[in-house]
Amino acid sequence: MASRTPSQPITIPTGGTPLTFMHITQARTPTKTASARTIKRRCMQMQNIREVVSQEESSTLLRRELDYLSTSDRQILLQEAGIVSAIGPGEALAIKAGLGMPYGQS
């Protein structure tokens, strides 16, 4: 068998759905303490896995994964990414008025 890089999937035809195998390394260090190079490599590996699993629509799968996060986990994720999602009470009232929503509706 020819030499393959760890990120290339191997597809084996079967009588039905073909089987796809990928080499996935097990992390030895937590991501919080890993180097920038290691984190980049892990992100690229996850991107490759998403592409194989979602048939080249990895961005759609990533959006669906975010839907499964709890609200508190999403808030933590946004804070760690440096995205401020705070809407003040005055802005919220203006948005509701613009959408024609009653004051008490969230």
Side-chain angles (χ1 to χ4, degrees), residues 5 7 10 18 33 38 43-44 47 59 69 84 90 92-93:
T5 60
S7 62
I10 300 171
T33 59
T38 301
C43 290
M44 288 174 27
Q47 180 69 20
S59 61
L69 288 177
V84 179
L93 186 58

Side-chain angles (χ1 to χ4, degrees), residues 32-78:
K32 290 181 180 179
T33 59
S35 68
R37 181 176 177 230
T38 301
I39 293 171
K40 181 179 179 181
R41 191 171 46 240
R42 287 179 186 174
C43 290
M44 288 174 27
Q45 186 177 35
M46 289 305 300
Q47 180 69 20
N48 290 339
I49 292 168
R50 278 191 196 91
E51 286 176 5
V52 169
V53 171
S54 66
Q55 297 183 352
E56 304 296 326
E57 296 195 14
S58 60
S59 61
T60 304
L61 181 61
L62 183 58
R63 272 181 271 166
R64 297 290 182 203
E65 287 177 30
L66 293 174
D67 289 342
Y68 285 106
L69 288 177
S70 67
T71 305
S72 60
D73 287 343
R74 267 188 248 152
Q75 289 296 327
I76 292 169
L77 182 66
L78 290 172

